[in-house]
């Protein structure tokens, strides 16, 4: 490794470790993703690891259970690269293959704290190399300038395909029961072992009161419910996501679910750009572009840091 790259990595780690009372403490931030307001969107704990504070998988999972929010993730700088990191995601119960909001939260920490010199970072993950890019929020332009220097983060994720599902009468009745008897307009399976259920209206999504015990019995990892926006609505579609098998009864705003939702609604609406609203109690907004040729989904959103500290054990 050349001296310049090594020096940049040392500088990065010093920035991460600044003001730490204990050298081997783990620095963390809690970030609300897919929102521009604190206590909205989806919270993620972003933890920084390096050669001085390596931890085994049991410790990583235990910390995720300790935070007990939808996702805790771990960033490790990759030697020789100033803007490339290993990234792993954990729910309170398990490590997962893909997580949008914690990736956005990680990029937000790096950009907003000046920990990278680039407007793009790369994450090496269980789903391959994912990128996050800082872009201007053109919706807030005033006299040609961005108000307050705000920015969006654009994630480049793989499409999660949806397909017809051949449910038995038993499985179908289980899903209907899990959704408390809701009227089902359409139902698909996703490549990530979720069931995507289309309901008649925005109201049927927002007012749904699912039965978590019955979702646990369904033959899938989780259930995404969605409906098209009504005429005149600002949003193209609405959704919610329930994943009690991962220790998350309702994921407040799920980026990876929108990789499947983008695929489904692109086919139904014959379009590739969407403004989506996840109608959890915390709520959140995602801007989406589906690149059909490259089979990628670009997810854009904001984030807010609400907490920072050190794990001392």
């Amino acid at each position: 490794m050349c001296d310049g790259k090594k020096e940049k990595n040392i500088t990065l780690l010093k920035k991460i470790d600044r003001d730490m009372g204990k050298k081997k403490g783990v620095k963390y931030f809690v970030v609300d993703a897919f929102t521009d307001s604190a206590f909205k969107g989806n919270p993620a704990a972003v933890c920084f690891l390096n050669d001085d504070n390596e931890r085994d998988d049991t410790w990583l999972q235990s910390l995720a259970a300790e935070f007990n929010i939808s996702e805790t993730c771990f960033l490790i700088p990759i030697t020789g690269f100033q803007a490339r990191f290993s990234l792993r995601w954990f729910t309170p119960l398990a490590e997962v293959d893909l997580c949008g909001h914690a990736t956005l939260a990680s990029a937000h920490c790096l950009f907003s704290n000046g920990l990278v010199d680039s407007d793009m970072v790369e994450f090496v993950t269980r789903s391959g190399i994912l990128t996050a890019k800082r872009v201007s929020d053109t919706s807030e332009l005033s006299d040609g300038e961005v108000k307050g220097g705000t920015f969006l983060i654009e994630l480049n994720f793989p499409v999660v395909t949806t397909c017809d599902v051949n449910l038995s009468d038993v499985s179908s009745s289980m899903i209907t029961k899990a959704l408390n008897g809701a009227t089902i307009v359409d139902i698909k399976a996703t490549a990530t072992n979720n069931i995507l259920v289309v309901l008649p209206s925005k109201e049927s999504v927002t007012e749904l009161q699912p039965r978590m015990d019955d979702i646990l019995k369904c033959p899938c990892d989780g259930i995404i419910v969605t409906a098209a926006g009504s005429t005149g609505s600002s949003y193209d579609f609405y959704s919610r996501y329930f994943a009690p098998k991962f220790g998350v009864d309702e994921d407040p705003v799920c980026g990876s679910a929108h990789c499947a939702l983008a695929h489904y609604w692109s086919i139904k609406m014959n379009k590739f750009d969407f403004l989506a609203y996840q109608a959890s109690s915390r709520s959140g907004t995602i801007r989406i572009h589906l690149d059909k040729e490259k089979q990628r989904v670009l997810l854009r959103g904001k984030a807010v840091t609400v907490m920072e500290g050190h794990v001392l054990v």
Side-chain angles (χ1 to χ4, degrees), residues 277-310:
Y277 183 83
Q278 190 145 344
S280 66
S281 60
R282 291 177 63 100
S283 73
T285 300
I286 304 179
R287 305 178 194 186
I288 304 168
H289 173 72
L290 175 66
D291 187 327
K292 185 177 180 180
E293 182 178 345
K294 295 181 180 178
Q295 285 294 285
R296 305 293 291 182
V297 177
L298 304 182
L299 306 172
R300 284 189 174 189
K302 292 186 176 183
V304 179
T305 301
V306 296
M307 195 181 307
E308 64 176 292
H310 300 93

Side-chain angles (χ1 to χ4, degrees), residues 118-268:
S118 171
D119 282 330
M120 180 177 289
V121 293
E122 293 183 341
F123 300 110
V124 179
T125 77
R126 285 167 60 156
S127 291
I129 295 177
L130 307 176
T131 62
K133 180 170 66 173
R134 174 167 48 189
V135 295
S136 297
D137 182 6
T138 55
S139 68
E140 296 191 5
L141 289 176
S142 176
D143 299 326
E145 295 185 2
V146 178
K147 293 182 180 179
T150 59
F151 62 90
L152 289 158
I153 293 171
E154 179 181 274
L155 307 177
N156 188 323
F157 271 35
V159 168
V160 174
T161 55
T162 61
C163 62
D164 292 334
V165 56
N166 184 20
L167 292 174
S168 67
D169 290 341
V170 173
S171 297
S172 181
S173 63
M174 288 172 65
I175 291 170
T176 300
K177 185 179 180 183
L179 298 182
N180 218 356
T183 300
I184 295 176
V185 174
D186 194 7
I187 188 166
K188 299 288 185 181
T190 79
T192 49
N193 198 38
N194 287 308
I195 295 294
L196 189 154
V197 178
V198 183
L199 303 182
S201 66
K202 162 194 169 183
E203 291 75 19
S204 59
V205 171
T206 58
E207 297 170 8
L208 179 68
Q209 296 183 350
R211 302 161 61 103
M212 294 300 163
D213 288 345
D214 290 305
I215 291 179
L216 286 168
K217 301 173 185 175
C218 290
C220 57
D221 287 340
I223 296 180
I224 306 165
V225 298
T226 185
S230 57
T231 303
S233 171
S234 300
Y235 299 102
D236 293 290
F237 61 83
Y238 296 78
S239 69
R240 292 169 70 188
Y241 178 48
F242 309 104
K245 290 181 181 179
F246 287 103
V248 183
D249 283 354
E250 180 168 3
D251 199 357
V253 192
C254 183
S256 59
H258 282 80
C259 294
L261 288 161
H263 181 261
Y264 177 84
W265 286 115
S266 180
I267 294 170
K268 288 294 181 181

Side-chain angles (χ1 to χ4, degrees), residues 9 19 42 69 83 113 159 164 170 174 191 199 211 274 312:
N9 273 312
D19 299 327
N42 203 350
I69 54 180
N113 289 285
V159 168
D164 292 334
V170 173
M174 288 172 65
L199 303 182
R211 302 161 61 103
F274 305 93
L312 302 179

